[in-house]
Amino acid sequence: MLCEVGETVVYPQRGAATLIAVNRRIVRGEKKVYLTLDVMQGDLVIEVPADSVDLVGIRDVVSHDGLAAVFDVLGAPVADFHAAPRPTRYSSCMTDSSTAMSPPAPSPDGSAVATNPPANPATAFHIEAPASESGPRVAVVVVAAGSGTRLAQPQPKAFVMLRGSTLLARALESVFAMTEPAQVVVVAPADWIAEATTIAVDVAGVASSHISVVAGGATRQLSVAAGLAVIGADVDTVLVHDSARALTPPELLDAVVAQVRSTGDGVIPGLPVSDTIKRTADGVALETVDRSTLSAVQTPQGFPRVALQDAYHLAREDYTDDAALYSAAGHTVRVVLGDPLAFKITTAWDLRRAESLLPGEPVASGLRTGIGIDVHAYDPASPLWLGGLYWPDEVGLAGHSDGDAVAHAICDALLSAAGLGDIGGRFGTADPRFENAHGEIFLVETLALVVGAGFSVANVAVQVVGNGPRMSPRRVEVEQNLTRIIGAPVSVSATTTDALGFTGRGEGLTAVATALLTS
């Protein structure tokens, strides 16, 4: 599809959108182009990877004049508008703005065309798509807009790694394993829309046309409302799911959908409370609560679409979950048996627990290689730590920790080989615990992650690139120290760039490491 900024395109399930910008950025080391679309119906801006427009279903508008006629009729008074029993998307419209359209009939090439225009478009306007054009009846709003401060990671919680995949990706894997096709709406932080789109498209694969990605609000309730605003016209059942419940099995999502349809009520999964619960006041236990009446509630929470949207329109306060909001509007909420795997990952302990529940995942056998690079500027005010050793009388390296570029590069190489992300994602500079921390701490923690994922280190090689310090006098000492920490052979070499680049100008130092793992 060739389209210029300012032109109008068709965006499935949302009608028309205007291309307002074309952005280019580096994602995972690759140059990516993103189209920013301003959806005409509603205050919504969506960013879509340019290489996915065909999968998503974006296409050129057949006629701008016809599009204007459609919106003129949609804006007419309700009393003068007669919609088809089940309004859905359509793919083309007539160019004559003085006529309206009856239900589309198939043309010889299979596309929908308008026929038999009535005399008065203001009182008879119908949009109906062929059966094959109807959209999913289920929508899953995946809330991924939380900051996750309790997880103490530099990125939002949904983008934290769990055994080589983000929490968002793992949550979406379960959604796309549902029995019934669904429109999947990812609600992400505004600054992470591009990353969320890339993750969602990667997980969805050939089903990318089912994806929508929107920016969340200041609260969870506002984020869900943003997701509800873009669900398709054919949807009758909505699930609201937290990306933080990344291990939720798809069978639970299917069960909630089935219960919503069979009862017509809201449905939430819950687990019996096994602990003794006390009612307290000022630190004093007053009474024991009957735990047989309690349930630990999970997501996905399911609702009839119209009733849920009405409940959101009526809401005048912020509720802890969608079931509370739905109940406040006077609706019934039923509880079905949840699943222990649907626990919420909120703290670092939860994340570690989730990692321990994934030992059965297939791990590539044989050898795995990884590469890591770390760069630090020289800082005369800092002591020099390199290869886990202190270097007296040498210019130090600037950094949030001790600036040990060799140790940091090795960590990145090990994590890369094991598919566990990178050092920034594991030990971010925003975490005060790692301020001035020595390289050995990062190496020990990284090694624990690698071994925990089922790998052993075969060997590591590091090359230091810079004008100083001279490595040869202490090379063997550095190798022995790193070998001791890692428990596998580590070789170290050094070179310069012959006065080229920032290292040649003496501005900083680069360390490049490779790691070989066995499983």
Side-chain angles (χ1 to χ4, degrees):
M1 181 196 77
L2 297 176
C3 189
E4 300 292 335
V5 172
E7 291 187 351
T8 304
V9 297
V10 173
Y11 196 95
Q13 302 180 1
R14 285 156 209 85
T18 301
L19 178 62
I20 61 175
V22 177
N23 301 308
R24 294 170 174 81
R25 59 173 63 93
I26 303 298
V27 178
R28 297 179 182 177
E30 296 182 9
K31 294 182 179 179
K32 293 283 188 179
V33 178
Y34 291 88
L35 307 181
T36 303
L37 303 176
D38 185 5
V39 179
M40 293 183 179
Q41 290 295 92
D43 184 15
L44 178 65
V45 176
I46 299 175
E47 195 170 49
V48 180
D51 56 5
S52 299
V53 293
D54 292 334
L55 288 174
V56 174
I58 297 174
R59 57 194 184 278
D60 295 325
V61 169
V62 174
S63 165
H64 288 225
D65 294 335
L67 183 67
V70 171
F71 286 123
D72 286 343
V73 176
L74 288 176
V78 175
D80 295 332
F81 177 68
H82 303 281
R86 193 181 183 194
T88 57
R89 293 172 290 139
Y90 65 103
S91 58
S92 62
C93 55
M94 296 186 65
T95 59
D96 185 356
S97 61
S98 66
T99 61
M101 292 170 283
S102 61
S107 66
D109 64 358
S111 61
V113 296
T115 58
N116 305 321
N120 187 353
T123 59
F125 182 80
H126 302 275
I127 301 175
E128 186 173 321
S132 61
E133 283 288 319
S134 61
R137 294 179 56 206
V138 175
V140 183
V141 178
V142 181
V143 185
S147 61
T149 53
R150 283 178 288 178
L151 201 53
Q153 296 290 323
Q155 64 271 69
K157 185 195 300 184
F159 302 91
V160 170
M161 302 298 292
L162 172 59
R163 283 288 179 88
S165 296
T166 61
L167 296 184
L168 175 58
R170 290 196 177 275
L172 290 175
E173 288 286 359
S174 292
V175 172
F176 279 97
M178 291 173 62
T179 302
E180 182 174 347
Q183 178 188 355
V184 182
V185 181
V186 177
V187 186
D191 295 339
W192 288 75
I193 292 294
E195 290 80 359
T197 302
T198 299
I199 292 170
V201 169
D202 286 347
V203 173
V206 295
S208 295
S209 61
H210 289 254
I211 293 171
S212 309
V213 182
V214 299
T219 66
R220 184 185 187 280
Q221 192 162 307
L222 291 175
S223 293
V224 175
L228 293 177
V230 300
I231 61 176
D234 294 317
V235 170
D236 57 39
T237 302
V238 177
L239 301 187
V240 181
H241 188 40
D242 292 334
S243 63
R245 300 182 186 272
L247 302 186
T248 302
E251 292 80 10
L252 184 58
L253 288 90
D254 287 335
V256 173
V257 171
Q259 284 296 309
V260 172
R261 290 210 173 120
S262 65
T263 64
D265 296 325
V267 175
I268 58 176
L271 293 175
V273 176
S274 57
D275 294 327
T276 297
I277 306 297
K278 296 285 187 181
R279 192 183 309 280
T280 65
D282 298 326
V284 177
L286 301 179
E287 61 178 330
T288 300
V289 179
D290 181 6
R291 64 189 179 194
S292 66
T293 64
L294 302 178
S295 183
V297 176
Q298 304 173 317
T299 70
Q301 299 186 356
F303 311 91
R305 177 257 186 89
V306 174
L308 180 61
Q309 288 185 320
D310 288 345
Y312 261 84
H313 291 152
L314 293 172
R316 293 297 179 267
E317 60 181 278
D318 202 42
Y319 294 90
T320 57
D321 70 353
D322 301 283
L325 181 148
Y326 193 76
S327 295
H331 300 296
T332 299
V333 177
R334 300 179 182 273
V335 181
V336 297
L337 183 63
D339 193 292
L341 288 175
F343 69 94
K344 190 174 183 178
I345 298 174
T346 302
T347 66
W349 187 272
D350 297 328
L351 184 63
R352 182 63 185 88
R353 176 189 172 200
E355 290 176 345
S356 71
L357 294 173
L358 296 172
E361 288 202 335
V363 178
S365 60
L367 301 177
R368 298 277 293 266
T369 62
I371 187 170
I373 300 175
D374 196 52
V375 177
H376 284 273
Y378 289 124
D379 180 11
S382 298
L384 178 62
W385 286 84
L386 206 61
L389 299 177
Y390 172 58
W391 295 65
D393 304 321
E394 295 283 357
V395 177
L397 297 172
H400 177 255
S401 59
D402 66 355
D404 189 336
V406 169
H408 299 170
I410 293 175
C411 289
D412 263 336
L414 292 170
L415 292 170
S416 171
L420 296 175
D422 54 48
I423 190 172
R426 292 288 177 174
F427 317 105
T429 56
D431 193 333
R433 295 177 301 171
F434 301 120
E435 185 175 2
N436 297 320
H438 290 309
E440 183 168 350
I441 294 175
F442 296 104
L443 288 170
V444 170
E445 292 300 320
T446 297
L447 188 63
L449 292 172
V450 170
V451 173
F455 297 99
S456 299
V457 181
N459 81 287
V460 173
V462 190
Q463 184 167 68
V464 178
V465 184
N467 293 347
R470 291 185 64 246
M471 293 296 297
S472 55
R474 302 188 69 182
R475 182 177 62 82
V476 173
E477 185 183 1
V478 172
E479 290 178 337
Q480 290 175 342
N481 186 54
L482 293 173
T483 297
R484 173 189 61 81
I485 297 171
I486 295 173
V490 178
S491 58
V492 178
S493 61
T495 188
T496 67
T497 55
D498 292 332
L500 298 176
F502 76 94
T503 55
R505 293 190 297 269
E507 298 171 5
L509 177 148
T510 297
V512 182
T514 59
L516 182 65
L517 305 183
T518 61
S519 60

